[in-house]
């Protein structure tokens, strides 16, 4: 005689798993499209060398220093100096096979002459009567005030050392100096313009220059009235 306990022991008490459903067949759905395959973008052509004239000026200026008696050249009148520099530059550009046109050649000669007897890239700005202020924040950033409006302009300084040479040339002409021991200078240029400069370590991003030009034409009463500085009464 079996007891109800033995009957329970023989019974499988594990929970029964539900019967798995038969897998449903999924049919691929193809969605038609009218989009055309996108063609790969063509790579941009390399830009032209915008520093062609600047690089040529540096190379030819170095040749000029090595091959020409600069002391004798600087004693010549400026027109004669420019003529001889023009001949030298023309010959070197032919030898170096530099692809520059007549306008670029003339600009190159002017740059080299300005570098020798003037203030290099600053000369055109100093000669421009419409410019009142020149502000330089490192050799790559330059602003001018023209007719009361501040504008950013490009000055072709080769590098920071080039700008430092121009600064030293300005201060040496008026008997001043600027270096790491005296990194700030305030001077009056030969043409009367006010000049301020700060170099490293004060100028952490490079030399800082401020040139305040003064008009060579004195203002008459009619100009003061026109500007609104005074009234006619």
């Amino acid at each position: 005689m079996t007891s109800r306990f033995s009957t329970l022991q023989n019974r499988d008490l594990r929970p029964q798993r539900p019967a798995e459903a038969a897998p449903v067949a999924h049919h691929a759905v193809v969605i038609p499209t009218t989009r055309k395959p996108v063609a790969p973008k063509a790579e941009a052509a390399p830009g032209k060398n915008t520093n062609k004239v600047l690089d040529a000026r540096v190379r030819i200026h170095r040749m000029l220093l090595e091959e020409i008696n600069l002391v004798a050249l600087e004693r010549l009148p400026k027109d004669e100096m420019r003529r001889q520099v023009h001949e030298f530059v023309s010959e070197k550009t032919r030898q170096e096979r530099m692809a520059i046109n007549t306008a670029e050649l003339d600009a190159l000669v002017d740059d080299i002459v300005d570098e020798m007897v003037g203030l290099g890239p600053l000369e055109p700005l100093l000669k421009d009567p419409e410019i009142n202020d020149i502000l330089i924040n490192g050799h790559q950033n330059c602003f001018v005030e023209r007719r009361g409006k501040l504008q950013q302009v490009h000055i072709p300084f080769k590098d920071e050392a080039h700008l430092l040479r121009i600064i030293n040339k300005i201060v040496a002409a008026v008997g001043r100096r600027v270096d790491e021991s005296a990194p700030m200078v305030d001077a009056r240029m030969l043409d009367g313009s006010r000049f301020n400069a700060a170099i490293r370590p004060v100028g952490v991003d490079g030399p800082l220059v401020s040139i305040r030009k003064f008009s060579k034409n004195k203002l008459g009463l009619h100009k003061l009235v026109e500007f609104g500085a005074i009234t006619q009464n």
Side-chain angles (χ1 to χ4, degrees), residues 57-75:
R57 185 188 70 185
V58 173
R59 293 202 307 273
I60 295 179
H61 193 196
R62 188 179 299 114
M63 297 176 190
L64 190 68
L65 295 175
E66 295 173 354
E67 302 180 20
I68 298 295
N69 186 350
L70 294 182
V71 176
L73 186 64
E74 291 177 354
R75 292 175 180 174

Side-chain angles (χ1 to χ4, degrees), residues 2-231:
T2 60
S3 65
R4 59 189 182 94
F5 295 105
S6 61
T7 304
L8 292 175
Q9 288 177 351
N10 295 331
R11 185 184 301 172
D12 189 1
L13 299 180
R14 290 177 299 178
Q16 299 294 325
R17 294 182 180 179
E20 295 181 358
V24 179
H26 295 280
H27 299 284
V29 179
V30 179
I31 301 176
T33 177
T34 57
R35 291 185 301 175
K36 297 181 180 180
V38 179
K41 295 183 179 180
E43 295 183 0
K48 294 182 179 179
N49 184 11
T50 57
N51 294 326
K52 177 177 62 174
V53 177
L54 178 59
D55 294 337
R57 185 188 70 185
V58 173
R59 293 202 307 273
I60 295 179
H61 193 196
R62 188 179 299 114
M63 297 176 190
L64 190 68
L65 295 175
E66 295 173 354
E67 302 180 20
I68 298 295
N69 186 350
L70 294 182
V71 176
L73 186 64
E74 291 177 354
R75 292 175 180 174
L76 297 175
K78 190 170 183 179
D79 292 341
E80 178 63 19
M81 177 195 298
R82 192 184 188 284
R83 187 188 65 80
Q84 294 196 20
V85 171
H86 192 283
E87 292 179 357
F88 180 86
V89 173
S90 299
E91 180 182 354
K92 291 303 178 183
T93 52
R94 286 193 298 268
Q95 293 178 359
E96 296 288 326
R97 295 184 178 180
M98 297 178 184
I100 60 176
N101 55 37
T102 303
E104 291 174 337
L105 177 62
D106 292 339
L108 182 57
V109 172
D110 290 338
D111 288 344
I112 292 177
V113 172
D114 288 340
E115 196 76 31
M116 293 172 58
V117 299
L119 298 178
L122 292 180
E123 282 294 329
L125 303 182
L126 294 172
K127 294 176 182 177
D128 191 339
E130 295 183 350
I131 293 178
N132 298 322
D133 284 284
I134 303 172
L135 306 172
I136 301 174
N137 185 9
H139 72 280
Q140 294 181 329
N141 295 311
C142 179
F143 299 84
V144 299
E145 181 188 335
R146 181 182 281 113
R147 294 182 177 180
K149 295 182 179 180
L150 198 63
Q151 304 173 356
Q152 186 170 12
V153 296
H154 172 67
I155 299 184
F157 289 112
K158 178 66 177 177
D159 48 25
E160 184 174 322
H162 186 194
L163 175 56
L164 284 174
R165 286 198 301 272
I166 300 300
I167 293 174
N168 285 319
K169 196 170 186 178
I170 293 174
V171 298
V174 294
R176 305 293 297 275
R177 70 180 181 88
V178 59
D179 50 33
E180 291 183 356
S181 62
M184 300 178 65
V185 63
D186 182 7
R188 186 175 294 275
M189 299 173 63
L190 296 178
D191 64 350
S193 301
R194 291 297 302 271
F195 175 82
N196 296 274
I199 65 173
R200 297 180 190 273
V202 174
V204 294
D205 294 326
L208 308 175
V209 176
S210 170
I211 300 177
R212 174 66 176 177
K213 295 170 56 181
F214 294 97
S215 176
K216 294 180 173 58
N217 300 323
K218 295 182 179 180
L219 296 178
L221 292 178
H222 64 287
K223 282 292 184 181
L224 295 177
V225 173
E226 182 181 342
F227 292 154
I230 60 175
T231 61

